[in-house]
Each structure stands twice: as structure tokens, then as C-alpha cells.
Amino acid sequence: MTELKDIEQELNRFRGRLLAAGAFVLFGFGLLCARLVFLQVYKHDELATRADNNRIAVVPIVPNRGLIVDRNGIVLANNYSAYTLEITPSKAGDLEGTIDALAEVVEIQPRDRKRFKRLMDESKSFESLPIRTKLTDEEVARFTARRFRFPGVEIKARLFRNYPLGEVGSHLIGYIGRINRAEKEALEESEDQANYRGTDYIGKLGVEQSYERELHGTTGFQEVETSAGGRAVREINSNPAIPGNTLVMSIDIRLQAMVEAMFGDRRGALVAMDPRNGEVLAFVSKPTFDPNLFVDGIDVDSWRELNESIDKPLLNRALRGTYPPGSTFKPFMAMAALVTGKRSASQVIFDGGTFQFGNHTFRSHGDGGLGPVDMARSIVKSSNVYYYSLANEMGVDLMHDQLEPFGFGRRTGIDLESEVTGLLPSTAWKRRAYKRPEQQKWYSGETISLGIGQGYNNFTALQLASATSTLVSGGQRFKPRLVREIENVVTRERRRVASDALEPLPLRPAHVELIRRAMYGVTQEGTSTRVFMGAPYRSGGKTGTAQAVGVRQNEKYNAAKLEEHKRDHSLYIAFAPLEEPTIALAVVVENAGFGSDAAAPIARRVFDYLQLGHYPSEEDLALLRQGKAGAPVGTPRVAAEVPLPGATIVLGSPAAPLPGLQGPIASSDPAAGREAPPAPPAPAPEPRPAAALPVDTRGGLAAAGLRSGGTP
């Protein structure tokens, strides 16, 4: 029997299935539409940005670093461009294999590999790092022809810093180096983070470091459309970088180079400044170093030679080297005596050659005494006994309170980083400095040697020069300044960087005149007479000799029996002209003996340069380097005619006349007006900063074992 189907029931069943399928399709389509609406409407901006990011690369444009020029426009630091071969480790795959293959195309030395490894340890894997710098045109061509073989490797054009004068003024100019990890972390936490995108170098020392913000400039950017392979297709938008500003220094680099030449191979420092405004004209630390070695990372051998040298060429002696001032301290002690009323100018003290305190004998220089001496004669003839007794009468704390306002024992505030404070002792200082109670106590016998600039006294050449400037100017005080103007390279406007004027010291004009006249007497009938013989101008000065090591009570100092590094330091402070000083300076020549033998002759030539425009003859220079010079010998040369190797002048840089000169010293370089730096030095790992080196404290910090007496 045939079974009859219920057609209606089947149709209903089919309609139900059809409706369910339709509803499912509609639901799915609704979900798809909702997703499209969500993506196209609500997420449009975000997704469009992502798409643009995949298509557009934002490339930072690193600005040109600003120039550094001296007061006459001579270029001290500039830039040049060169090609570098760089690897992005995250894109290179087999890194060692890539470097080995690259070595077959361009020369890659072991030091390049070591530097690259060190940079990798300090950087992120997606950063582009140089494996070779300063490629030749031939090397660029060879790599370009084989570029397809090296994913993640590319050639970039970069700017390199150049110091045309090499070692001249290296401590004050400083240098730049690659940004290390600590500096990178500091930048990431500062407001300058965006401005340092793409920047690999930063100032490490000198004005390169202290004026980093002015020199760096403003980073620009370039929006570039890229292909799927990462190649640039077209430029969409760009914002040019703004170069760094030009620093115009107060330094006269010719004077600086002359002083460094006079030091020769000897160690020491000289600071010369204008007491009327605090501008520094020369800031010398010897020995020097070539800052070009550090620009792209110094090689291991050169770093070891600099870092391990007994002469410490990386130590900025003018800023961080501390020395006992010796007899150069006496004019300040005399002023303190006048201010406090401890001594009058006419009071006479008998100098018998020794000063007895308890069972200890403090000796003077020479075998005999000077007899009766008043204040002026005590400076002219450099009486130790006069200042032994004065120190005993004043006491350490009164001396500290009177001399600290001159800048002793505190930072001057110069526009360089890492200045040290030096040491002007007091009873409070000793309690802080020592732990054991017996060490914290101040003994009266420790005060005596302070009067002649020995004992715990330790100051920098910068502090001595600044204090001399304050003394001879009648109490005017300024923070010393190395940069006098900052020029905006876009607008060409110059902004004056004025030295901060401090509250002047209330020194009586009669007291200042007495000290000036006494220091003038030093050059006429005192310890520097033979050095300033025949000078057509009048100047004042004070010689000093400071011990580097102590000598026992019953021993006599004999330089010939001591190692060279243990002999006395030679010092001289001076000013000129006598009536209205426009220059004050301090000179220290380490382990060179009497102040009149080594330091004073250098000061004389500085004054001849500034007052007369003279440059020492070759014969005179040879004697100066040997420490055998007195008054100038031979025919002095015209300073403007002595060539300064490598010098160039920036066009439009107005020269600033120096004190005592009729006009600026112009460059005799035939390339004046053109920037044509010499060929760059060979590249080479980043050193630790020179500021991390130990401060030179060869200068008798311990009173126990201090040699009694001192020599002018």
C-alpha cells in the first residue's frame, strides 16, 4: 500500500528551515555590517593612522652642531660630512657572518668590531649602528654595487665634529662623543628627549658640554612614503632642522696657543682675565690632548697612553688641579690684616730669618733674615716671618672669614662644569673632614704655615686669578666667563653673555693702592725684578714657591735629590697696567722651583702680548720652555704675523679688541674666511670623561711633615 505524504506539513517544515537559514544569513550579514560600521566609522582614525604608519616613515633630521669661535672669529670647532657604513642588528640576521662578508668589500679593522660590539651593548637592537666611519668614495661605490647582499646594512651621510687647532685649548673647548647609556636615560627623562631623536653625539667636556643646548640646535623631521620593501618612494612633508648657535668665546686663541708653547713639555696652568668684566682671555692647562681623538671613540692604545700617563694630560689643571698658593697668598693676608686692624701699613716686624712657636722653628727662605720690615717691604721682599707672626695673631677662623670672600675655598661659578672648591681651612672644616676626635682638634701650630700659603691651603689657578682680579680692582667681583656672545645662525642676532656681577667687597681705596704699589715693587726691586727689566709698562705681581712634598724639621730641601714630580711648584700672580688694571692672571708651573724662575717669565710675555702686541722670539721661547728665561731676549715678533696652524675665520665675525691693544689681532691664514678643516683623524671606544679623573692634590695637604718656611 502506498503511503500518502502530508504535503502541507512538508511545506511548513521546509518554510521553517528556510526561515531559519535566512535568519542565520541575515544575522551573519548583520554582524558583518556591524563590524564594518565599527571599523569604518568608530575605528576609522586609528586604523587610518596605522595604515599611514605602515606607509609613511618619519625620519628625524639631525641639526648641524653650532660653531665655536674665539673673540676674533677664529674657528675652534666646526663640522664636516662623511659617509658611514651602518648595520641595524635586528634586520641583519647572522650578524657575525654579515660583518665578515662586509670585510671583503670594505676594510673593517679589529678596533671597528670592538667598537661595534660596545655600541650594541649600549643600544637597542633596532638602532642603526656604525661598523665603519669616514668611508672613501671608492669604498662607497664598492658597497653600493653589492648592497643587495646585505639586508639591514646601509650607507648614511653624517656630520663629524672637527677641532682645526688640535691640542690648542682642548681643556676649555672640550669634545663631543657618542651618547652613552647613562646620558641616554637622562635624556629620556628630560624635556629634550624629542629634540635628541636621531642624535648620536653629545658634549662631553668643556664648553661643548656646558653649552650643549645652545650648540645642539633643533631637530627637524621628514615624512617619507615607503614601499613594502622599506625603500623611500616620495617625500610627503618635511620640517627642516635648525642648526645650533655659534659660541663666541672671550678667549684669544693666539694668546692661548702662545702660552701653551711657552710651557713646552712642562705641567701647569694659567688663567688670565679682565678684572673689569670677568672675561677670561686665556685658560691654559698643560699638558693638553687632541680632542679629535675622542669624536668617534678613542682607540685603546691612545686612551691608555692618555689615562696612564704620569703627567695626567686629561686633568684640567686650571679648573680641577689644586695647589698651595705659597707666597702669592701674602698680598691677600696683608689686605686681611688692614681690614681687621691686626696690622697697620707702617707697623714694623723684625725678620730674623726664623719664627719660634713652642719648640718648633719655622724658617724663612735663605740663610738670613730681612731685618725690620713693614707691610709693603714684607710683600716686596717676601718676608715669611712677617706672615708667620700675622697668622699667629689672626688665627685660622679670622683668616678664613676674611679670605673666603675673595673666592678661596669655593667655586668661582665659571661657565664650565666640574669645577672643584679647593680648600681654605677653618676649625669647622677640620671637624667635618676628620672622624677621630684627636684629628678634629685644631692645633695652634697648624695656623702658622697658613700665613705663607702652605699647610692645608689648596686652591686652583682659576681661584688665584679670580682673587687677584678682585684684589687689584678694588673689590669688584665677577663670575669668570669663557663665552661672551651667542649668535643665532638663522637671524644673525648676537646675544651678550654677561658675567654675573657679585656684590663688591668693601675695600678701602687707600688699602688697595698700598697693595698695588707693593706688588709693583716686586717687579722693580723684589723677587721678579730681572724678569720685568726694561718693560715699557708698569705692572704688579707676586712670586710664590709651594712645596709638593713635606720635609722633616731637621732636613733641608734639596731639589737635586728629589724626583722631578716631588719638587716645588712655581707660581706667580700679576696684573697690568698698574693704574687701571685690565688684565689679572695666575700662573702655576708644576715642580719648576722658584716663582721667579718659571712662572714670572710666562706672565711677562703675556703682558707683552696684550700691552705691546709682541710674540716671543724663537730664542726666547726655547729659554722659556727650559725654565731659564728672565727678561725677553732676541727681537720679539709681531703677534699678528705669527701663523696659527689650521686657523680659519668665520666671515662677518667682528673682532673684539683686547686690553692694551690698538685693535684685534687678525688672522694671517691665507684661507681666512673659508671653512676648510684639515683631513679628519682616524676613527677610534668611548673613554670615561676626564672629569672622573682624580683631582691633582700634589700640594702638601698634611700639616704634619710640612716643611717649615717657604720660598717666594
Side-chain angles (χ1 to χ4, degrees):
M1 177 182 280
T2 303
E3 183 180 352
L4 296 175
K5 293 181 179 180
D6 188 343
I7 302 300
E8 189 65 32
Q9 185 178 1
E10 290 291 335
L11 287 173
N12 289 336
R13 210 179 275 170
F14 175 75
R15 292 190 188 102
R17 291 172 184 164
L18 186 61
L19 287 172
F24 180 77
V25 171
L26 288 174
F27 178 74
F29 186 73
L31 287 177
L32 183 60
C33 290
R35 180 62 178 171
L36 288 173
V37 170
F38 177 75
L39 294 176
Q40 293 291 336
V41 178
Y42 295 101
K43 301 289 287 185
H44 174 270
D45 293 340
E46 179 183 341
L47 295 176
T49 301
R50 287 187 186 180
D52 283 340
N53 288 341
N54 291 332
R55 180 177 62 92
I56 300 172
V58 179
V59 181
I61 303 174
V62 180
N64 293 354
R65 194 168 179 86
L67 302 180
I68 302 176
V69 302
D70 86 330
R71 67 189 300 126
N72 295 315
I74 297 176
V75 177
L76 309 181
N78 56 13
N79 313 294
Y80 68 93
S81 61
Y83 290 110
T84 64
L85 185 63
E86 304 196 4
I87 303 176
T88 304
S90 60
K91 299 179 180 179
D94 180 7
L95 196 57
E96 287 299 326
T98 299
I99 295 176
D100 290 339
L102 282 172
E104 298 175 0
V105 180
V106 299
E107 182 182 8
I108 298 178
Q109 299 182 1
R111 68 181 182 184
D112 297 322
R113 294 174 183 260
K114 291 179 182 178
R115 181 185 58 195
F116 184 80
K117 186 178 183 302
R118 178 176 53 80
L119 292 175
M120 276 195 62
D121 294 337
E122 296 176 352
S123 307
K124 299 175 182 178
S125 62
F126 55 83
E127 290 183 340
S128 177
L129 304 174
I131 183 67
R132 257 293 309 278
T133 58
K134 302 164 189 170
L135 298 173
T136 65
D137 291 341
E138 182 182 347
E139 288 175 321
V140 171
R142 282 204 307 264
F143 172 79
T144 303
R146 299 168 175 81
R147 186 184 185 282
F148 65 93
R149 294 174 47 197
F150 303 103
V153 183
E154 58 185 336
I155 286 180
K156 291 186 178 180
R158 290 188 181 271
L159 284 175
F160 289 86
R161 199 63 160 170
N162 179 58
Y163 303 97
L165 302 185
E167 295 188 359
V168 177
S170 58
H171 286 284
L172 66 97
I173 300 169
Y175 59 85
I176 68 168
R178 290 190 69 91
I179 299 175
N180 58 36
R181 184 175 299 172
E183 291 164 339
K184 187 174 295 186
E185 291 174 355
L187 285 172
E188 289 174 352
E189 296 175 0
S190 72
E191 59 185 20
D192 294 328
Q193 179 183 4
N195 197 36
Y196 276 81
R197 286 188 60 193
T199 300
D200 296 322
Y201 296 88
I202 197 171
K204 299 281 188 176
L205 203 67
V207 295
E208 288 275 27
Q209 179 185 32
S210 55
Y211 285 87
E212 169 63 28
R213 286 193 175 186
E214 295 287 350
L215 290 167
H216 179 265
T218 304
T219 300
F221 69 87
Q222 185 180 36
E223 292 183 356
V224 180
E225 185 175 2
T226 59
S227 64
R231 291 182 177 274
V233 176
R234 64 186 178 95
E235 180 183 311
I236 298 175
N237 188 23
S238 68
N239 186 22
I242 301 175
N245 295 328
T246 297
L247 299 185
V248 181
M249 302 189 70
S250 61
I251 294 291
D252 174 15
I253 203 63
R254 288 183 178 276
L255 173 62
Q256 178 88 14
M258 186 188 80
V259 174
E260 292 181 8
M262 289 190 289
F263 267 90
D265 294 331
R266 297 175 296 175
R267 302 171 303 280
L270 177 145
V271 177
M273 59 188 294
D274 190 333
R276 300 169 299 178
N277 52 29
E279 289 186 356
V280 178
L281 306 177
F283 192 84
V284 174
S285 175
K286 285 285 292 185
T288 57
F289 62 91
D290 186 355
N292 290 299
L293 293 173
F294 292 88
V295 171
D296 198 37
I298 188 169
D299 63 90
V300 176
D301 292 337
S302 297
W303 170 244
R304 185 181 294 113
E305 181 181 350
L306 290 173
N307 191 41
E308 297 178 1
S309 170
I310 192 173
D311 292 331
K312 298 182 181 179
L314 294 178
L315 174 66
N316 188 336
R317 285 168 162 80
L319 189 73
R320 296 180 56 78
T322 57
Y323 309 87
S327 293
T328 62
F329 202 52
K330 291 173 181 176
F332 303 98
M333 285 289 295
M335 179 59 76
L338 292 171
V339 170
T340 59
K342 289 293 183 180
R343 291 271 170 91
S344 66
S346 59
Q347 184 175 346
V348 174
I349 301 295
F350 184 80
D351 181 351
T354 61
F355 180 81
Q356 195 70 31
F357 186 83
N359 61 355
H360 192 92
T361 300
F362 292 85
R363 295 188 296 271
S364 189
H365 54 87
D367 297 325
L370 296 172
V373 292
D374 60 7
M375 183 173 286
R377 182 173 166 80
S378 75
I379 294 174
V380 173
K381 297 299 183 181
S382 198
S383 169
N384 281 356
V385 172
Y386 186 95
Y387 292 97
Y388 286 145
S389 62
L390 177 58
N392 187 42
E393 293 172 23
M394 293 185 67
V396 62
D397 285 333
L398 182 58
M399 291 166 58
H400 175 275
D401 294 343
Q402 289 297 314
L403 297 172
E404 193 263 349
F406 284 96
F408 293 118
R410 67 181 185 187
R411 296 180 179 89
T412 64
I414 192 171
D415 48 345
L416 288 180
E417 297 185 17
S418 302
E419 180 185 4
V420 299
T421 60
L423 176 56
L424 180 66
S426 66
T427 55
W429 161 79
K430 200 174 184 188
R431 286 193 298 270
R432 294 193 304 268
Y434 293 95
K435 294 182 179 180
R436 297 205 300 263
E438 63 272 19
Q439 293 176 316
Q440 294 176 337
K441 182 180 178 181
W442 186 272
Y443 297 94
S444 299
E446 295 176 309
T447 306
I448 309 303
S449 292
L450 298 179
I452 63 166
Q454 295 282 179
Y456 292 104
N457 286 322
N458 261 263
F459 312 124
T460 64
L462 175 60
Q463 288 172 331
L464 276 172
S466 179
T468 303
S469 174
T470 299
L471 179 65
V472 302
S473 67
Q476 291 185 82
R477 297 189 299 169
F478 295 93
K479 289 184 179 180
R481 187 66 52 181
L482 286 168
V483 174
R484 70 197 312 260
E485 291 178 325
I486 298 176
E487 179 182 294
N488 186 304
V489 296
V490 177
T491 64
R492 294 298 176 185
E493 294 180 358
R494 288 199 173 196
R495 170 166 51 92
R496 184 80 177 185
V497 182
S499 299
D500 295 335
L502 305 175
E503 183 179 354
L505 300 184
L507 303 180
R508 293 184 182 180
H511 293 167
V512 175
E513 180 66 16
L514 187 152
I515 300 299
R516 276 191 195 171
R517 288 288 172 179
M519 294 177 72
Y520 171 63
V522 172
T523 69
Q524 300 303 302
E525 54 178 315
T527 51
S528 64
T529 302
R530 71 181 182 89
V531 175
F532 283 86
M533 189 178 301
Y537 51 84
R538 299 199 294 177
S539 68
K542 183 69 192 80
T543 54
T545 306
Q547 67 185 76
V549 295
V551 176
R552 293 194 180 99
Q553 170 80 12
N554 298 324
E555 290 183 357
K556 191 172 183 180
Y557 174 79
N558 187 339
K561 294 183 179 180
L562 291 174
E563 298 176 18
E564 192 268 345
H565 280 75
K566 295 182 179 180
R567 296 172 187 168
D568 289 347
H569 302 313
S570 175
L571 298 95
Y572 194 70
I573 60 171
F575 66 93
L578 176 65
E579 294 75 16
E580 295 184 8
T582 58
I583 179 72
L585 59 80
V587 192
V588 180
V589 185
E590 290 183 12
N591 314 113
F594 297 125
S596 58
D597 289 345
I602 293 176
R604 165 72 191 268
R605 276 63 175 184
V606 171
F607 289 162
D608 286 355
Y609 177 96
L610 293 173
Q611 301 297 316
L612 309 173
H614 287 177
Y615 194 99
S617 65
E618 288 291 351
E619 179 186 0
D620 200 29
L621 266 179
L623 292 173
L624 284 162
R625 291 168 179 150
Q626 298 170 31
K628 298 178 180 179
V633 297
T635 303
R637 291 170 283 180
V638 178
E641 297 177 358
V642 178
L644 189 60
T648 58
I649 287 184
V650 176
L651 285 175
S653 296
L658 288 170
L661 292 181
Q662 297 303 313
I665 295 179
S667 173
S668 60
D669 188 89
R674 304 194 307 269
E675 271 195 61
E686 180 185 288
R688 59 195 174 104
L693 292 173
V695 175
D696 185 3
T697 56
R698 297 197 297 270
L701 283 177
L706 174 71
R707 183 170 81 251
S708 300
T711 308

